Amino acid sequence: MNKSINDLKKLPSIDSLLLEPQLATVIAPHCLKVEAAQEAVDDCRKQILQGNTPQNGITDVIIVDTIQRLKAKAQPSLREVINATGTLLHTNLGRAPLSEAALQSMNTVARSYSNLELNLETGKRGHRYSHIDTLLCRLTGAEAAAVVNNNAGAVLLALTALAQGDEAIVSRGELVEIGGAFRVPDVMEAGGVLLREVGTTNKTHLRDYKTAINDNTGLLLKIHTSNYRIVGFTDSVPAAEMVALGKQHKIPVMEDLGSGMLFDLTPFGLPKEPTVKEGVAAGIDVLTFSGDKLLGGPQAGLIVGKKWAIDKIRNHPLARALRIDKLTLAALETTLSHYLDEQQALDEIPVLRMLNMSTESLEQRSHDFKEQLQQRVTQSCTVEIISENSCVGGGALPITNLPGTALALTPLQLTPDQLTNRLRSAQQAVVARIQEDRVIINLRTVFPNQEVTLIQTIASSLQQKNN
Ligand SMILES: *Cc1c(COP(=O)(O)O)cnc(C)c1O
């Protein structure tokens, strides 16, 4: 104990510590230096009290620790992650990466002033929707369009504008919860819309909607079940039949498509998903979908449909609270413009590129990657090529797997958990999955220009000493 007290006296003051040349020359905000030094001294004090006085000189140990802490503090909290999970749309990883052209548009609009709400022809006040509504109508065949901050906001706004105080009829099979606590009944309640459930979990028929219609019915609502599927003995009512029923009773029909695709994905071996165009053609009054799911753009909630309904939505006070910002709008306009040419969309939009990556090219990349990685990790890891499916994720095509190839790493001196922890906390963070005690690296979601860094990060994570 006496020894500890003696050692405690050797702890440097923060002021003297910051004057040490190794720290004085580090360029960092003073407040961060003080914070890092304080933490390092506190930690050292704890170690001493536990009888673990550092052997190499107390001040030296604290300096090294302070520099380490400063490095961590100086890193931005929100930063790039290499997604080696193979899941294309990972809400925790920020969903869709943007196209190069979308990034450039954001950059241009961000660094200067813009005509966000100015009509350059007339010099009068314009509207931010004007930058995407023509494009959205052209792509979907809709009469009018609006856009807000995200699809949850789009659903809330549309429900509120169209059916506040009224009943909306929804199939029990569609009352879903989507990741991040978007629950359809809760959103309806927030919008002041009364939920009228019809049908059963697995089957809902047109007659169920018909018998539920009454004087208070304000909306027939259809919701894409996104992240789950009921399989087997199921039935739901096609959009066109709901539209016919709505017309008969003068009740609007709304559909929340969730992911929302602008063209048919079946040529790429994916299952049939309703496209926005089909919904519009079926006569649905309002359709909502996300900007950052399969569309491959920035976070946004897109709303298309009949002019009367879109006008009501645009003019609702809630629209102002949910409005899209100019950077998102710039990225969205450019992303949507890629869709004017399907081939361009497939080439330019990263999510579609990954979705459309051939099994052969993924296999070739995996083999090349294996060869390069193996040279670096012969002593610390075995590397195998395996068949692995990727998920689309993000509430899109929930049960669809994209067949392909991946690498399976078996670390020799670490557990798989230790390796994935190190990969996450590396200078360039990497997120990978563990499967059957192996760390899986799926290159479908890794950009080719990230491969060199990925190899370096895996190699150095395997080599680091155990602590
Ligand atoms: C994802 C999803 C939402 C929420 O969209 P965000 O863009 O995440 O706000 C709403 N409805 C459905 C059906 C979805 O799949």
Side-chain angles (χ1 to χ4, degrees), residues 4 30 57 432:
S4 290
H30 183 70

Side-chain angles (χ1 to χ4, degrees), residues 2-288:
N2 270 345
K3 177 165 179 332
S4 290
I5 287 169
N6 263 339
D7 287 341
L8 284 178
K9 285 184 186 150
K10 293 185 203 154
L11 285 170
S13 73
I14 303 299
D15 285 341
S16 67
L17 200 56
L18 294 184
L19 288 173
E20 293 282 345
Q22 279 165 280
L23 279 176
T25 51
V26 174
I27 298 172
H30 183 70
C31 63
L32 290 189
K33 283 190 176 183
V34 172
E35 204 177 283
Q38 254 157 3
E39 286 173 11
V41 170
D42 287 349
D43 192 59
C44 188
R45 180 179 298 119
K46 260 186 223 143
Q47 296 294 328
I48 293 170
L49 286 172
Q50 285 168 9
N52 304 323
T53 298
Q55 301 300 306
N56 306 338
I58 288 176
T59 301
D60 289 344
V61 167
I62 292 177
I63 288 173
V64 170
D65 190 20
T66 302
I67 290 172
Q68 199 106 55
R69 286 172 191 271
L70 252 179
K71 264 194 197 149
K73 285 178 200 293
Q75 266 204 330
S77 169
L78 183 59
R79 53 187 189 257
E80 182 188 6
V81 162
I82 293 180
N83 174 9
T85 64
T87 301
L88 267 61
L89 295 166
H90 210 299
T91 297
N92 300 357
L93 302 182
R95 290 196 187 152
L98 298 178
S99 74
E100 283 303 322
L103 292 174
Q104 269 173 28
S105 315
M106 277 177 94
N107 200 320
T108 308
V109 166
R111 65 172 58 248
S112 181
Y113 299 98
S114 64
N115 62 338
L116 181 64
E117 291 189 353
L118 178 72
N119 182 325
L120 290 175
E121 274 173 37
T122 62
K124 299 225 168 75
R125 181 157 201 262
H127 203 288
R128 62 183 68 210
Y129 298 139
S130 69
H131 305 290
I132 50 98
D133 60 2
T134 314
L135 200 46
L136 262 176
C137 292
R138 196 176 282 142
L139 290 168
T140 63
E143 289 174 11
V147 59
V148 291
N149 178 54
N150 61 7
N151 189 35
V155 174
L156 174 66
L157 172 61
L159 281 174
T160 312
L162 298 177
Q164 191 163 43
D166 294 337
E167 284 182 8
I169 304 178
V170 190
S171 158
R172 287 200 168 85
E174 297 174 359
L175 286 173
V176 293
E177 171 172 324
I178 289 142
F182 176 88
R183 292 181 135 188
V184 173
D186 297 348
V187 175
M188 293 180 73
E189 198 183 320
V193 177
L194 304 165
L195 169 64
R196 181 69 187 260
E197 301 173 38
V198 296
T200 59
T201 307
N202 59 329
K203 283 206 171 203
T204 300
H205 307 283
L206 190 65
R207 61 172 184 273
D208 296 323
Y209 290 93
K210 207 169 189 164
T211 45
I213 290 177
N214 63 62
D215 288 347
N216 298 326
T217 307
L219 194 68
L220 302 180
L221 178 62
K222 200 167 165 57
I223 298 154
H224 193 288
T225 50
S226 288
N227 52 4
Y228 93 119
R229 276 283 185 286
I230 297 173
V231 292
F233 190 59
T234 68
D235 218 344
S236 64
V237 178
E241 290 180 26
M242 281 180 70
V243 170
L245 181 66
K247 275 218 177 94
Q248 239 175 23
H249 295 84
K250 298 202 165 44
I251 298 169
V253 180
M254 165 174 160
E255 180 167 11
D256 173 21
L257 286 169
S259 201
M261 215 17 232
L262 291 176
F263 61 86
D264 187 14
L265 293 171
T266 48
F268 312 106
L270 294 166
K272 178 77 193 130
E273 276 285 300
T275 65
V276 183
K277 214 178 208 159
E278 286 163 359
V280 170
I284 295 177
D285 297 277
V286 172
L287 292 123
T288 58

Side-chain angles (χ1 to χ4, degrees), residues 420-438:
T420 52
N421 289 346
R422 286 180 180 191
L423 289 171
R424 272 198 323 277
S425 50
Q427 180 75 21
Q428 170 56 69
V430 173
V431 177
R433 287 185 310 107
I434 297 174
Q435 192 176 291
E436 291 166 7
D437 276 340
R438 296 186 295 186

Side-chain angles (χ1 to χ4, degrees), residues 212-385:
I213 290 177
N214 63 62
D215 288 347
N216 298 326
T217 307
L219 194 68
L220 302 180
L221 178 62
K222 200 167 165 57
I223 298 154
H224 193 288
T225 50
S226 288
N227 52 4
Y228 93 119
R229 276 283 185 286
I230 297 173
V231 292
F233 190 59
T234 68
D235 218 344
S236 64
V237 178
E241 290 180 26
M242 281 180 70
V243 170
L245 181 66
K247 275 218 177 94
Q248 239 175 23
H249 295 84
K250 298 202 165 44
I251 298 169
V253 180
M254 165 174 160
E255 180 167 11
D256 173 21
L257 286 169
S259 201
M261 215 17 232
L262 291 176
F263 61 86
D264 187 14
L265 293 171
T266 48
F268 312 106
L270 294 166
K272 178 77 193 130
E273 276 285 300
T275 65
V276 183
K277 214 178 208 159
E278 286 163 359
V280 170
I284 295 177
D285 297 277
V286 172
L287 292 123
T288 58
F289 54 106
S290 286
D292 57 349
K293 290 186 180 169
L294 273 181
L295 198 76
Q299 179 189 303
L302 289 75
I303 312 174
V304 300
K306 300 272 168 63
K307 184 164 184 320
W308 72 266
I310 300 294
D311 281 346
K312 238 177 152 174
I313 288 168
R314 281 179 170 208
N315 295 325
H316 192 277
L318 199 52
R320 171 63 180 79
L322 295 169
R323 81 177 179 191
I324 190 167
D325 89 295
K326 62 180 180 178
L327 303 187
T328 310
L329 199 56
L332 185 62
E333 181 186 3
T334 303
T335 305
L336 288 172
S337 73
H338 294 315
Y339 280 94
L340 293 172
D341 178 332
E342 282 183 20
Q343 190 57 49
Q344 191 193 65
L346 289 169
D347 291 342
E348 301 290 330
I349 298 175
V351 169
L352 296 188
R353 218 162 48 217
M354 291 167 180
L355 195 65
N356 197 27
M357 192 178 290
S358 75
T359 44
E360 294 79 25
S361 75
L362 185 58
E363 190 173 349
Q364 187 59 51
R365 272 180 75 192
S366 303
H367 279 284
D368 294 348
F369 190 91
K370 179 186 174 200
E371 220 156 85
Q372 290 176 52
L373 179 64
Q374 232 160 8
Q375 294 168 5
R376 304 278 302 266
V377 302
T378 36
Q379 307 294 320
S380 51
C381 184
T382 62
V383 186
E384 291 159 274
I385 297 277

